Amino acid sequence: MPSVLEDFGLIPAVQLLCEQFSRQTGIQFNFLPHGGDDRFGADLEISIYRIVQEALTNIQKHASATSVELQIIASANSVRMTVEDNGKGFAATKNSTAAKRQERNRNWQACRERTSLLGGTFTIESVLQHGTLLCVEIPIKKKESKP
């Protein structure tokens, strides 16, 4: 677990991750946290942090994006995280090579599993030449809402 995540929580840790990503890649980044600075429990925070890391890695490697917007929206019942880029996107069609489809599936499998284990949903929407939108929503259990 990154120390900034353990010490300060999800929002500050993701903010730092976004700043580092933007500095290293030159990609414009907009991070929009909504819903307070509550701690959400270690499992939920680690899962979202790791999913953000995977999303940023994929954007850097494959998207050819110039901007990324990441939102974390916390409510009383759930935490919703979206990552949207303006990159080249991808098509999940027969035209995709089997190797590319397998690589995409492998890249996201751990993220899907993390989300599923916490009772959440994980979706990816992508349109060629218009970018990709990743959305994760995980319910907050009552005991997880306390630091």
Side-chain angles (χ1 to χ4, degrees):
M1 175 187 267
S3 63
V4 68
L5 182 59
E6 187 174 2
D7 294 342
F8 299 106
L10 181 63
I11 301 302
V14 170
Q15 176 72 44
L16 180 61
L17 186 62
C18 294
E19 290 169 2
Q20 291 170 340
F21 175 81
S22 185
R23 232 180 357 264
Q24 291 170 353
T25 64
I27 296 173
Q28 179 184 354
F29 212 100
N30 192 18
F31 176 51
L32 304 168
H34 306 280
D37 298 323
D38 291 341
R39 298 297 301 261
F40 304 108
D43 289 345
L44 190 147
E45 288 186 352
I46 291 168
S47 292
I48 290 180
Y49 186 83
R50 295 295 184 214
I51 292 167
V52 170
Q53 283 182 312
E54 183 65 31
L56 298 183
T57 298
N58 284 329
I59 289 168
Q60 182 179 7
K61 284 183 178 179
H62 307 292
S64 300
T66 58
S67 69
V68 175
E69 180 174 284
L70 187 150
Q71 294 189 56
I72 295 178
I73 305 159
S75 70
N77 301 320
S78 67
V79 175
R80 178 180 171 97
M81 185 271 302
T82 62
V83 181
E84 186 170 14
D85 70 62
N86 69 345
K88 62 184 178 182
F90 61 88
T93 66
K94 291 184 222 175
N95 295 337
S96 296
T97 67
K100 283 194 182 257
R101 284 193 306 269
Q102 284 179 340
E103 180 183 355
R104 267 198 306 272
N105 289 338
R106 191 173 46 253
N107 287 346
W108 292 115
Q109 188 60 35
C111 297
R112 281 189 175 91
E113 288 172 5
R114 284 180 184 275
T115 303
S116 179
L117 287 171
L118 293 170
T121 58
F122 178 98
T123 59
I124 299 175
E125 298 173 16
S126 190
V127 177
L128 282 175
Q129 306 310 318
H130 293 287
T132 301
L133 172 65
L134 166 71
C135 183
V136 172
E137 188 160 3
I138 300 174
I140 297 174
K141 294 182 174 85
K142 297 229 183 246
K143 64 181 180 179
E144 288 181 338
S145 63
K146 295 180 183 178

